[in-house]
Amino acid sequence: MDCGYLKCCMVCLTALVVVTSGGKMKIVEEPNTFGLNNQFVAQSNRLQARVNPSPVSGPQHLHRLAGRCYNLIEATYKYVFCPFHNVTQHEQSFRWNAYSGILGIWQEWEIQNNTFTGMWMREGDACGNKNRQTKVLMVCGGSSKLVSVSEPQTCIYLITFETPLVCHSHSLLVYPVLTEKLQKEWDEIEQARYDELITEQGYNKLLKELFEEAGLLKRAQQQKKPDESITSLTHHNLEECTQDFEKQRAEIERLRTLLTQHNISYETTTVLASLSERTQDRGSLNRSQVQNQHLRGDAGFIANLN
């Protein structure tokens, strides 16, 4: 059978489907077996995830959604949402290269005002100079199902997922999910904010670090850059080592002398002294109050200590 005859048969088959369906192409129930969906295609040509999903986290009662997938067909596309795993899109078409792609891989929660407001699926397939990502909103419903998919911004998708698991008024609260240790830290952060010991910016940063420690937010991966100002500690011989040691000792003695001239003790921490200088225009610094606070983050967030 030559290629020309095969193409002719395909055209006739397509025309027959259009006629029998009143001019509209019927959308099949499952993704086609062509292109990336074909199990006989080489593994390198199938859907390839850029990263692994983050561990399952958040409210314990939502963990039962892990390992399940929910489908929605809109127009000529089928969307598959697998909580705590990924979101994919499959074109429902007879085309040999029908599109299938990853719209996002489970990464972290969105948290606002002690509430889980959404699931973020990031690091999807490339879209220009960025990667596709999807925010999943969980709303109360009689059954667990995918109800809508939209694209409010280019390559950023919004999914609405209904489930009875979030119908209780406390079902999406963050505080009950935390360990006793992290709950205590959050209490201390809230108290420091109430006492105006930290700024709003400092408060938000401390909470972000706490949520990262709890595994609810993904930690930003920071690549350490080599510090060109640090010289090599390798010495080629004993003489070089001795000379370097004498230089370091002389520098230490110089700094000690400088501190003594200014009546500063170099045997105690200078953090409180630095804070005192920053707050002289606001009155005296209550050091005992600062020492009793067990807060994380840098001391630059201290705002008002009166």
Side-chain angles (χ1 to χ4, degrees):
M1 182 179 295
D2 57 20
C3 294
Y5 179 75
L6 179 61
K7 291 181 179 179
C8 181
C9 290
M10 291 297 296
V11 171
C12 293
L13 178 61
T14 302
L16 179 61
V17 172
V18 171
V19 171
T20 57
S21 59
K24 295 182 180 180
M25 181 72 72
K26 181 180 179 181
I27 300 176
V28 297
E29 294 298 324
E30 297 293 334
N32 66 80
T33 57
F34 297 93
L36 295 176
N37 295 316
N38 189 350
Q39 59 180 333
F40 299 107
V41 173
Q43 182 67 31
S44 59
N45 292 330
R46 301 181 194 174
L47 295 181
Q48 296 290 321
R50 297 171 52 85
V51 298
N52 293 325
S54 296
V56 177
S57 64
Q60 186 67 36
H61 57 277
L62 294 182
H63 292 189
R64 69 185 68 177
L65 296 175
R68 301 182 181 183
C69 293
Y70 302 87
N71 304 331
L72 174 67
I73 296 179
E74 284 192 349
T76 58
Y77 288 100
K78 178 178 181 177
Y79 299 91
V80 182
F81 168 52
C82 302
F84 303 107
H85 191 61
N86 63 26
V87 176
T88 57
Q89 180 186 39
H90 309 273
E91 182 180 359
Q92 306 294 278
S93 170
F94 288 104
R95 296 190 305 119
W96 70 271
N97 62 341
Y99 172 79
S100 283
I102 300 176
L103 303 186
I105 300 170
W106 161 242
Q107 296 292 293
E108 61 182 355
W109 288 96
E110 179 179 87
I111 300 175
Q112 296 179 4
N113 299 326
N114 188 27
T115 303
F116 293 106
T117 56
M119 301 179 71
W120 272 108
M121 308 285 193
R122 308 184 193 274
E123 298 297 333
D125 289 344
C127 181
N129 59 354
K130 56 185 178 181
N131 298 320
R132 302 176 192 274
Q133 57 181 319
T134 301
K135 179 180 177 180
V136 181
L137 299 177
M138 290 194 172
V139 299
C140 176
S143 61
S144 294
K145 60 182 179 180
L146 193 58
V147 294
S148 68
V149 179
S150 62
E151 188 177 3
Q153 300 181 45
T154 304
C155 302
I156 300 180
Y157 303 84
L158 180 64
I159 281 180
T160 300
F161 178 73
E162 286 187 358
T163 175
L165 298 176
V166 300
C167 290
H168 192 279
S169 59
H170 295 166
S171 59
L172 291 175
L173 292 181
V174 179
Y175 189 85
V177 173
L178 302 177
T179 63
E180 184 178 349
K181 172 179 174 293
L182 293 180
Q183 287 179 349
K184 182 178 179 181
E185 290 188 25
W186 194 346
D187 293 339
E188 293 175 350
I189 294 173
E190 292 290 346
Q191 186 62 45
R193 181 193 190 190
Y194 177 80
D195 294 336
E196 298 184 346
L197 295 177
I198 53 177
T199 63
E200 190 68 20
Q201 180 181 1
Y203 169 79
N204 291 330
K205 180 178 180 181
L206 290 173
L207 277 189
K208 181 176 181 294
E209 292 175 352
L210 187 147
F211 296 151
E212 288 175 348
E213 184 175 343
L216 304 176
L217 298 182
K218 193 174 182 65
R219 295 181 185 272
Q221 297 181 354
Q222 298 180 349
Q223 296 182 349
K224 295 183 179 180
K225 298 182 179 180
D227 190 346
E228 299 178 353
S229 63
I230 300 178
T231 58
S232 174
L233 299 178
T234 303
H235 302 94
H236 297 89
N237 51 55
L238 179 60
E239 182 179 0
E240 289 184 3
C241 180
T242 303
Q243 291 176 353
D244 188 55
F245 174 76
E246 293 297 333
K247 289 180 181 178
Q248 297 296 332
R249 185 168 63 176
E251 178 66 13
I252 292 174
E253 290 299 326
R254 186 186 71 82
L255 294 174
R256 285 180 174 177
T257 301
L258 183 62
L259 292 173
T260 302
Q261 291 176 352
H262 291 81
N263 295 323
I264 300 176
S265 174
Y266 52 81
E267 296 179 351
T268 60
T269 179
T270 59
V271 174
L272 292 179
S274 175
L275 291 176
S276 179
E277 292 177 359
R278 298 181 189 180
T279 57
Q280 283 180 353
D281 59 335
R282 302 177 196 158
S284 61
L285 173 67
N286 185 343
R287 297 194 178 191
S288 61
Q289 186 179 18
V290 175
Q291 290 172 334
N292 289 332
Q293 298 296 325
H294 303 286
L295 302 179
R296 299 178 301 156
D298 68 51
F301 295 139
I302 299 295
N304 187 349
L305 304 176
N306 295 326

